[in-house]
Amino acid sequence: MSIEKLIQACIQNIQNKVAAFMTRQEDQHASVMQAVLVSQYHLMKHSLPPTALPKLSQVGFKVYSQFEEDGLLLFIFSLIGAESRRVLEVCAGNGRECMAANLIINHGWEGLLFDGNEAAVAEAVNFFAGHPRTWLHPPQCIHAWITRDNINELVTGHGFSGEIDLLSLDMDGNDYWILKALNGVSPRVIICETQNAVPAGIAVTQPYAEDFRLTAEQMADGFLSASLAAMQKLCAEKGYRLIGGHGYGFNAIFMRDGVGENFFPEVSVESVLSNPYSLHTCQTKWPSAQKHPWVAV
C-alpha cells in the first residue's frame, strides 16, 4: 500500500471514530481523536504534494456544526495554520450548533458570538459556562441586532479588530450587506450561507432591510440572503477567493488571497453548486423566487 493510501485509510478510520463518539456524545474522546486527526493532516502536509491531499469533499464531519463544516474547518486550519485563533460568528444561535463551537471547545480558540435572539444568547452563555472545556474562559456571547451601520462598532467594541482566523456569517437575510460593511476585522477564512435557489451565473441579493425577519413564505420559495455568485463577487472585491463549500452547496468557504493558495486553489461557483441538492433546489424554487425584487450586484 502506498503512503498516500495508508494515510488516507488512517484518516478515514479516525473520522469514523469521531462520528461514532459524537453519536454517543462522548466529547472528551472526540477531542482526542480530533487532535490525532490534526497530527495526521500535518504529516500529510509535510510529506505529500498538495495534489495528493484529500479533497474538501472527503474530510467533513459534524461535531457542533449543522452539517460537516467542523471537519472542513479542521482540515483547512490544519494546513494553513491558525494564527490568531480567533473566530467571529454572526448569528451563532444558542452556541450548541454553530461554526465556532468546535474550534472554541476542542481547539482552544477565542470566540466572539453574536445573535439577535436574547433567549438563544442566554442559552449559549449557560452552555459555554457549564462546559468543562470552556468554563474558565468562555467565548463572548453577545445579544445584538446586527445592522450594516453598527457591525464594526459592535465587533471592535468587544475587543476584536484586525487579523482574525475565521468569520462565520449566517443571517438568513442581510448577509451580503453586513459582509460588505464589515471592515473592522480581516479574517483569513470566511464561511457563509448563500442562497442556492439562484442559478450559478446570477449575482443577486435580497434588498437590505434593517428590521428583516425571515418568513415561512421566503424560506419556502428561496427569496432570502444572497446568491453564491453575489458573495463570490463581493469577496473577490475584498481580496478573497472561493475554495469550496459543504456537500449541499449553500455554505460556501472563502480564503484570503495569498493564504494557502498551494493547498486551496480557487474553484468556480458552478462546481460548488453542482451537487444534487443545489441543482434540485434551483430547479424547483427559482421559477418562483426570480419574480421577487432581487438586487443585482
Side-chain angles (χ1 to χ4, degrees), residues 35-270:
V36 175
L37 186 55
V38 169
S39 70
Q40 294 288 344
Y41 288 148
H42 287 169
L43 175 61
M44 295 177 70
K45 170 183 176 180
H46 294 293
S47 60
L48 299 176
T51 54
L53 294 173
K55 302 181 186 305
L56 278 178
S57 60
Q58 298 173 310
V59 299
F61 60 80
K62 167 187 171 63
V63 183
Y64 294 101
S65 58
Q66 185 176 10
F67 301 103
E68 74 269 24
E69 297 88 355
D70 286 331
L72 305 183
L73 293 172
L74 186 67
F75 178 68
I76 288 169
F77 286 106
S78 294
L79 296 187
I80 70 171
E83 296 184 352
S84 67
R85 298 169 67 84
R86 289 182 134 196
V87 51
L88 166 64
E89 182 149 3
V90 180
C91 290
N94 63 10
R96 296 176 181 272
E97 185 177 87
C98 66
M99 302 296 185
N102 187 56
L103 295 169
I104 293 168
I105 291 170
N106 288 314
H107 302 279
W109 283 35
E110 182 181 0
L112 176 57
L113 282 54
F114 288 101
D115 200 87
N117 184 313
E118 188 172 8
V121 172
E123 188 175 343
V125 169
N126 291 332
F127 170 63
F128 289 109
H131 197 286
R133 296 180 66 88
T134 55
W135 67 273
L136 276 175
H137 187 60
Q140 298 183 72
C141 301
I142 308 299
H143 173 236
W145 191 257
I146 301 293
T147 72
R148 60 186 177 186
D149 295 319
N150 70 13
I151 179 64
N152 290 299
E153 181 180 357
L154 283 169
V155 170
T156 59
H158 287 91
F160 269 45
S161 62
E163 187 92 353
I164 65 172
D165 273 314
L166 178 64
L167 165 66
S168 174
L169 182 64
D170 181 4
M171 301 184 71
D172 290 331
N174 291 323
D175 306 65
Y176 176 91
W177 306 107
I178 298 304
L179 182 57
K180 184 175 183 179
L182 180 60
N183 56 28
V185 291
S186 178
R188 297 168 72 225
V189 175
I190 299 171
I191 184 166
C192 59
E193 184 171 318
T194 63
Q195 179 49 262
N196 64 342
V198 184
I202 300 179
V204 293
T205 179
Q206 70 167 60
Y208 179 75
E210 194 157 300
D211 60 347
F212 174 76
R213 299 290 196 284
L214 179 63
T215 66
E217 291 76 16
Q218 286 177 300
M219 181 66 75
D221 69 7
F223 178 54
L224 68 149
S225 191
S227 68
L228 179 54
M231 287 304 223
Q232 186 273 337
K233 184 176 180 181
L234 174 61
C235 285
E237 293 170 357
K238 286 176 167 279
Y240 294 82
R241 67 192 184 280
L242 177 65
I243 65 165
H246 75 342
Y248 294 111
F250 54 83
N251 282 339
I253 306 173
F254 299 87
M255 186 173 290
R256 188 195 301 154
D257 294 339
V259 175
E261 290 182 341
N262 54 331
F263 299 116
F264 301 102
E266 185 172 17
V267 302
S268 67
V269 171
E270 289 78 7

Side-chain angles (χ1 to χ4, degrees), residues 14-26:
I14 293 168
Q15 289 177 339
N16 291 340
K17 289 181 178 179
V18 169
F21 281 135
M22 291 315 300
T23 300
R24 299 192 299 270
Q25 297 184 336
E26 296 184 7

